[in-house]
Amino acid sequence: MATKTAVIFKSKYGSTRKYAQWIAADLQADLFAADKIKVRDLAPYQTIVYGGYLYAGSIAGINLLTKNIDKLRGKRIVIFVVGVAKESSENKKHFTLKNIPKEYWKNVVVFYLRGAFNFKRLSFIDKLMMYTLQKKLENMDSEKLDEDSREFLEACKEPKDWTDLSAIGPLSSYVKNNQ
């Protein structure tokens, strides 16, 4: 018997929504925007896949899960995080520590997916934050910039889209193999 899976997402510029749609289609799961669902609506689901974008190191909307973890006991929780930097174990550890209480780590699996960046589409506040970072990096010795910093500076000039359908493979396999 197939388990019921819900894919929930919080997206700002579209990459997280795109991944959530791909994941829901691959898993034949129900798809919900985070602001359109309540924790009580998740009762019939055995697996909860939550996707949020990274914003200043925080996973957008993750409190839907973290504030209600007791109500979600016994459910499989899978989180995917969308950001513009390349995946690294250091970054993954940082946002996991910051966003998911340590007592829940053994019950949650986290995946990182790379999104897109278009400076022109950013909100005023986001543009201001990114412009500040851009200027800081431009004033550094270019030989001291790491690859992520160089890619960020390129993306400030020309939009980049790193979203990739094949990137959902490990997450989908995990869910399918652990039902």
Side-chain angles (χ1 to χ4, degrees):
M1 181 176 152
T3 62
K4 285 190 78 166
T5 301
V7 176
I8 306 162
F9 68 93
K10 176 95 173 161
S11 189
K12 190 169 187 177
Y13 295 110
S15 296
T16 308
R17 175 188 309 272
K18 183 189 293 188
Y19 279 122
Q21 291 169 333
W22 288 341
I23 292 165
D26 190 52
L27 297 176
Q28 298 180 346
D30 295 333
L31 180 65
F32 303 97
D35 59 348
K36 303 285 186 203
I37 194 163
K38 304 286 186 225
V39 74
R40 68 178 174 268
D41 301 327
L42 299 175
Y45 297 96
Q46 293 169 300
T47 302
I48 310 297
V49 178
Y50 180 84
Y53 59 92
L54 272 181
Y55 190 81
S58 294
I59 303 170
I62 195 68
N63 59 347
L64 175 69
L65 300 182
T66 57
K67 287 185 177 181
N68 295 293
I69 202 75
D70 291 338
K71 296 174 185 168
L72 299 172
R73 287 218 189 279
K75 298 185 184 299
R76 182 174 301 102
I77 306 292
V78 178
I79 298 171
F80 70 93
V81 181
V82 179
V84 296
K86 288 182 181 171
E87 180 178 10
S88 75
S89 56
E90 184 178 311
N91 285 345
K92 190 173 175 181
K93 181 180 178 182
H94 173 74
F95 66 72
T96 300
L97 286 170
K98 182 175 180 177
N99 293 276
I100 302 166
K102 190 173 183 175
E103 62 268 24
Y104 303 126
W105 289 356
K106 65 181 180 200
N107 300 318
V108 174
V109 178
V110 180
F111 293 86
Y112 180 84
L113 302 171
R114 201 162 186 206
F117 184 82
N118 184 338
F119 188 84
K120 292 177 183 174
R121 289 188 58 220
L122 299 179
S123 69
F124 175 76
I125 296 295
D126 291 348
K127 278 183 182 175
L128 188 59
M129 286 181 9
M130 293 298 106
Y131 182 77
T132 302
L133 177 58
Q134 177 186 5
K135 288 303 170 194
K136 178 183 173 189
L137 293 173
E138 286 175 346
N139 289 326
M140 290 177 64
D141 181 354
S142 62
E143 292 180 15
K144 292 183 180 179
L145 294 176
D146 62 15
E147 186 178 352
D148 281 338
S149 297
R150 283 193 279 282
E151 279 190 350
F152 170 76
L153 288 172
E154 287 175 26
C156 286
K157 297 173 189 166
E158 184 70 32
K160 301 288 182 194
D161 186 349
W162 297 281
T163 58
D164 179 5
L165 177 60
S166 67
I168 70 166
L171 184 154
S172 290
S173 293
Y174 174 81
V175 172
K176 290 173 184 177
N177 293 330
N178 290 284
Q179 291 186 346

